[in-house]
Amino acid sequence: MGGLTVGETAEREDLLTAAVVRAVKASGAYAGSVFLRSRDRRSVVLAATCGVPPSLLGGWRRIPVSSPIPVAEAFTSGRTVHLADADETMRRYPQLAVGLPYAFGSCSVPVGAGGETFGALAVVWAAPPGGDGPTKSRRRHLRAVANRLGASLSALRARTGDPLECDPDTVPVESPAPSAPAVRAGLFDWDLVTGALTGDDEFCAIFGLDPGTFDGRADTLASRLLPGDRAAFRAAAREAVAEGRITARRLRVREGEGEGAGSEGYHTVELWGRVADQGTERAHLVGAVVDARSGRAAAAAVDRLRDGLFSLTPDGRVSFANRSLEQLLGVRGEVLLGQFLWDVLPWLSDPAFEDRRRSVMISQAPASFLARRPPDQWLAFSLHPGADGVTGRVVPVGQPPSAQAAPASSTASATPAPATASPARLGVMYHVLQLGSALTEAVTAREVCEVVADQLLPAFGGQQLALYVVRAGTMHRIFHTGRHEGFLDWLEDMPLHAHLPGTETLTSGVPLFIESQQDLSQGYPGIPVGGVSSWAYLPLIASSRPVGTCVLGFDEVHRFTAKDRSVLTALAGLIAQALERARLYDAEFALARGLQQALLPHRLPVLPGLHTAARYLPGTSGMDIGGDWYDVIRTANGVSLVIGDVEGHSIAAAATMAQLRSTVRAFAAVGRTPGEVLAGANHALIDLDAGLLASSCYLHLEAGSHRAYAVRAGHPPPLLRHPDGTTDVLDLEAGPLLGVDHTSTYPPTPIDLPPGSTLALYTDGLVEERGTDIDVGIDRLRTAMAHARADSLDELADRLLHHAQRSSYRADDIALLLTEYRPAAAPR
């Protein structure tokens, strides 16, 4: 949260929660979510949900802003994206429809203020084919909710400094869908000395009293009870005085106005409370009266049914099971509660069953399927959705005509093949589709490896993954994850012709699936198992060229089904292509960065009375070379400091930077004044006809003096930190950018550098932030420099770049040159 306090974080969460709940109510949807931008602005991250658990969203919790996904488009375009039903979703956003192939409609709107977008808000509703979804009026109301949220977030940022960003690891805030309460509760305070009793409106309503006319007398309340319970009511007060509390004292409240003892209707409530001590006298009983009649009655009625009935929370966990269900499934209720059905019952672990439940929640349409409880009992499951979960019904049926029939559509009865005791997984094909999509976003080899691990291991239930590539005819590991550190160490540096599973699968091009340690010993005797029981060796071959081998390991014995084998074989080709593309990118990236570093000074000169330190951070937006540079130049009459930035990121920008640096050094070496140096650089840039502009700041410190003269060409002003820590932004006369006009001049500004002062020259990549004025960034850097504690100039440079170094995304290169003026006679 970027250093926010707990209170500030909670305030933001409260704003998000209130907005998403209002959005669901305003649009008539059953679920909603809010996404906020990430720190690097490359993605939007799920921050809050209502009516839908984050687990249902699968891989859509973090969405790249460039993705063809409605939420991302609403964020980037600032427009409302309305999809009335599944047909329109498939037509306009096929990638979303493939990842969530269910019948639903959605509406996504941007969240922002003052022309700046902070995120997006989306709602989802049940959408049978041909439905229109929310009316235009409701969509306008949804946009109004998003606008109010944007204004509130903007005010929060102005007051607390909240960057309005969401870390991908942040747990989203969850709110249940709006629904009628299953239990009513009223609060009361009973003075046991005077008999005065006060209660809230709900308390009065439970007892059938008018809050406006209730006289606050315990006798009046007792008159609302059946006559047989009035003594118990008075006994409760005596018990409270003696014991200090009342626990679940049941009382019967009359439904009518008569005084009969058995002919009238009644409902049962429970009295809970504790006595608040006042000195040595127990005088006040404070507590609640709970009316759970509907819940108790429903549970009793359901338990009397012969059909098995159960309830699932929105994320799929069992919240209720009647006795008949326990008998049909052959498992006790306490084992089921709080668990997933497919985790408790191996014969329900087929992904098709879980997909039914997921379909029901997202499309809000009923679904059914058949399953076989071993050895030969067939059960029909029907699932009925609601905003707050799923109600299920289970009945025994006869064996279907085709016990091996494939699952039908999600709205029809289906008969999946009998499941084995494989780990439950959320639709293997969805993981495959998400892997293909995620691999298109991965650029470097490391990113490819992490994507493969994130998608493959949960999809197939593995615990270990290693990726080996071929270099000079031998195997080299580039990635490993899992608790067995020595997993496949023996494959390192092995030649391709070795008789080993990791090499033979690559040379033959055929995947190798080893389901037990015995199978491994028979085929490859003497190979260490390393605590692993099953393996999948996948050859990575791209354009008929062997790239490497991907190995999945399973701690327990794993049986690879025909579906597993075919899917993993297909995935191997995707991984190989992505890894080969990443390998080429990494090689070109290293070459580009190496060239860029070669153009910068390898070391700064050691000068009497001056200490210098420099830093350069390349941008992370691509492999193109930037045009930032810095230099320290010893001259006949002093020292010159220069920093500059050629626009763009390309080979041309780097070449222009190198020529400008050489030009500045040449003019400085012959003793030209600061204004003449930049004027000469301006002429040289125009004569190069590169079509590029550049900014620069040049400062010359006279030998044996604390006087300096500075000029700047469209460049951010330097900062000067005085010996007492006070830091100023130097007000220099500014000339135009280099490369604009032959007649441009650059007037010098005198600067006084007291002994012990520190000068900072920097490029705009350090202070620029999208959507924020550059002066704000400059002042932020000035404040950081004023308050940074540092024992050395190098430590100060690292502190000023701390945030930029930790950021995973930098839109521009950053150059920083620090100079400390400390003559030999000046004390520290």
Side-chain angles (χ1 to χ4, degrees):
M1 291 291 184
L4 295 179
T5 66
V6 174
E8 292 165 350
T9 299
E11 186 175 356
R12 182 214 283 187
E13 292 176 346
D14 290 345
L15 291 175
L16 298 177
T17 300
V20 72
V21 171
R22 281 198 302 270
V24 170
K25 291 181 178 179
S27 60
Y30 69 83
S33 53
V34 178
F35 291 77
L36 291 182
R37 61 193 181 185
S38 62
R39 178 178 297 177
D40 59 13
R41 305 297 194 269
R42 288 183 170 182
S43 58
V44 287
V45 181
L46 182 64
T49 67
C50 173
V52 56
S55 59
L56 273 183
L57 298 179
W60 306 111
R61 290 178 60 172
R62 181 178 182 179
I63 302 175
V65 296
S66 58
S67 297
I69 301 298
V71 168
E73 182 169 316
F75 172 75
T76 55
S77 69
R79 297 191 301 269
T80 298
V81 181
H82 173 227
L83 303 172
D85 56 21
D87 291 341
E88 186 175 4
T89 302
M90 175 61 79
R91 185 172 64 254
R92 294 175 56 189
Y93 297 93
Q95 185 174 345
L96 175 63
V98 168
L100 294 172
Y102 310 114
F104 65 91
S106 65
C107 189
S108 302
V109 294
V111 173
E116 182 181 4
T117 306
F118 310 134
L121 187 152
V123 294
V124 178
W125 58 85
D132 293 330
T135 63
K136 288 184 178 180
S137 174
R138 283 190 162 184
R139 294 201 298 271
R140 284 196 297 269
H141 197 168
L142 178 65
R143 188 70 184 247
V145 171
N147 290 339
R148 285 199 297 270
L149 174 60
S152 299
L153 291 174
S154 180
L156 176 66
R157 179 174 64 179
R159 190 173 67 257
T160 67
D162 186 340
L164 305 181
E165 299 164 347
C166 193
D167 190 288
D169 297 327
T170 301
V171 178
V173 182
E174 298 182 57
S175 299
S179 60
V183 175
R184 299 174 67 191
L187 305 179
F188 68 88
D189 184 331
W190 187 3
D191 189 326
L192 300 176
V193 177
T194 66
L197 191 150
T198 58
D200 62 8
D201 289 352
E202 192 70 17
F203 177 84
C204 293
I206 290 173
F207 282 96
L209 298 169
D210 182 355
T213 60
F214 177 45
D215 57 11
R217 296 174 60 243
D219 288 344
T220 302
L221 187 70
S223 69
R224 296 299 306 145
L225 304 175
L226 289 186
D229 284 1
R230 292 169 188 172
F233 178 59
R234 291 189 291 271
R238 293 193 297 271
E239 176 188 338
V241 174
E243 303 293 335
R245 60 184 301 180
I246 299 175
T247 304
R249 175 62 68 99
R250 290 193 177 185
L251 302 171
R252 291 173 295 174
V253 179
R254 295 187 295 113
E255 296 284 3
E257 296 296 331
E259 287 292 331
S263 60
E264 62 184 312
Y266 67 87
H267 61 273
T268 304
V269 301
E270 288 182 357
L271 197 64
W272 295 74
R274 68 176 181 86
V275 172
D277 293 338
Q278 292 189 353
T280 58
E281 184 182 29
R282 289 178 170 174
H284 278 264
L285 175 65
V286 294
V289 59
V290 179
D291 179 4
R293 51 184 162 171
S294 59
R296 282 197 300 269
V302 166
D303 261 343
R304 290 191 289 269
L305 293 177
R306 298 184 61 184
D307 294 348
L309 294 176
F310 61 92
S311 179
L312 303 179
T313 60
D315 66 350
R317 298 182 184 274
V318 179
S319 57
F320 171 80
N322 71 347
R323 292 192 180 92
S324 296
L325 182 77
E326 298 177 18
Q327 296 170 358
L328 288 171
L329 302 185
V331 62
R332 298 191 312 276
E334 57 266 26
V335 176
L336 286 173
L337 292 180
Q339 304 298 320
F340 298 107
L341 282 173
W342 38 88
D343 281 347
V344 177
L345 304 169
W347 48 276
L348 280 179
S349 65
D350 190 292
F353 299 145
E354 186 183 358
D355 179 60
R356 291 293 186 276
R357 194 272 316 175
R358 195 173 187 232
S359 167
V360 165
M361 276 304 299
I362 294 178
S363 66
Q364 291 288 290
S368 60
F369 61 87
L370 296 180
R372 188 187 69 183
R373 175 188 169 189
D376 56 5
Q377 182 182 13
W378 286 89
L379 300 174
F381 287 73
S382 56
L383 305 177
H384 302 270
D388 53 356
V390 173
T391 298
R393 176 172 173 262
V394 182
V395 296
V397 294
Q399 181 173 339
S402 176
Q404 301 297 324
S409 67
S410 62
T411 57
S413 178
T415 312
T420 62
S422 60
R425 46 193 185 264
L426 183 57
V428 170
M429 287 309 299
Y430 299 147
H431 283 280
V432 172
L433 294 170
Q434 289 181 17
L435 173 62
S437 175
L439 284 176
T440 64
E441 304 289 337
V443 176
T444 66
R446 180 71 186 185
E447 290 174 348
V448 169
C449 294
E450 290 174 348
V451 165
V452 171
D454 290 344
Q455 298 292 334
L456 235 58
L457 290 180
F460 295 92
Q463 291 77 41
Q464 315 291 324
L465 185 137
L467 279 162
Y468 280 79
V469 296
V470 178
R471 293 176 185 162
T474 60
M475 305 294 288
H476 295 276
R477 188 170 72 184
I478 61 170
F479 183 82
H480 167 256
T481 185
R483 63 187 181 89
H484 301 305
E485 293 294 334
F487 181 58
L488 299 181
D489 279 352
W490 47 267
L491 191 55
E492 185 71 22
D493 293 326
M494 287 295 176
L496 290 184
H497 58 75
H499 176 57
L500 296 169
T503 53
E504 289 191 346
T505 188
L506 186 56
T507 54
S508 66
V510 179
L512 182 61
F513 300 97
I514 302 175
E515 296 185 340
S516 68
Q517 295 181 356
Q518 292 78 7
D519 292 344
L520 179 68
S521 299
Q522 291 176 5
Y524 303 92
I527 292 181
V529 297
V532 180
S533 298
S534 298
W535 299 260
Y537 288 87
L538 308 177
L540 305 181
I541 299 174
S543 302
S544 302
R545 176 183 174 276
V547 176
T549 301
C550 175
V551 189
L552 273 70
F554 301 80
D555 290 350
E556 304 295 332
V557 173
H558 182 88
R559 302 301 178 190
F560 296 96
T561 65
K563 184 177 182 180
D564 287 344
R565 294 170 186 248
S566 62
V567 170
L568 285 170
T569 301
L571 286 178
L574 287 177
I575 297 169
Q577 293 289 346
L579 203 57
E580 179 69 358
R581 183 182 69 246
R583 184 188 66 82
L584 295 174
Y585 177 92
D586 287 341
E588 293 178 15
F589 184 86
L591 179 63
R593 291 301 183 218
L595 176 60
Q596 190 170 37
Q597 292 294 334
L599 296 175
L600 295 171
H602 291 175
R603 71 171 56 86
L604 299 178
V606 178
L607 303 167
L610 288 181
H611 300 273
T612 57
R615 295 291 187 272
Y616 176 81
L617 293 180
T620 60
S621 58
M623 74 171 67
D624 290 335
I625 303 175
D628 292 20
W629 94 92
Y630 58 84
D631 210 347
V632 177
I633 308 167
R634 190 198 302 266
T635 66
N637 60 344
V639 176
S640 293
L641 311 172
V642 63
I643 198 162
D645 182 4
V646 177
E647 67 173 344
H649 292 81
S650 63
I651 295 294
T656 302
M657 175 264 281
Q659 290 171 308
L660 275 181
R661 180 185 171 217
S662 298
T663 300
V664 169
R665 290 188 69 89
F667 279 110
V670 296
R672 296 292 183 90
T673 66
E676 292 172 337
V677 170
L678 285 195
N682 176 55
H683 281 271
L685 181 57
I686 294 174
D687 293 341
L688 286 172
D689 197 22
L692 298 174
L693 303 178
S695 69
S696 182
C697 184
Y698 181 94
L699 184 144
H700 181 72
L701 180 63
E702 297 177 344
S705 168
H706 57 81
R707 296 288 292 176
Y709 293 89
V711 292
R712 65 185 181 114
H715 199 83
L719 303 180
L720 180 63
R721 173 171 164 167
H722 298 275
D724 62 357
T726 304
T727 304
D728 298 322
V729 179
L730 296 182
D731 184 17
L732 306 184
E733 289 194 54
L737 289 168
L738 304 178
V740 175
D741 184 1
H742 269 292
T743 63
S744 297
T745 59
Y746 303 93
T749 301
I751 298 173
D752 183 48
L753 298 178
S757 60
T758 302
L759 185 74
L761 303 179
Y762 53 92
T763 56
D764 55 10
L766 184 57
V767 292
E768 270 191 331
E769 185 175 340
R770 192 178 70 174
T772 304
D773 190 84
I774 191 172
D775 290 338
V776 175
I778 293 173
D779 189 64
R780 188 183 298 121
L781 179 64
R782 181 197 62 78
T783 302
M785 187 172 177
H787 294 91
R789 289 188 174 182
D791 295 330
S792 67
L793 213 55
D794 285 309
E795 185 179 351
L796 176 60
D798 291 335
R799 287 186 179 276
L800 295 181
L801 293 178
H802 176 72
H803 178 73
Q805 288 173 324
R806 291 170 58 89
S807 175
S808 60
Y809 176 73
R810 290 187 295 274
D812 198 2
D813 297 8
I814 296 173
L816 174 68
L817 176 61
L818 297 180
T819 304
E820 182 183 33
Y821 177 59
R822 193 172 295 280
R828 276 192 176 275

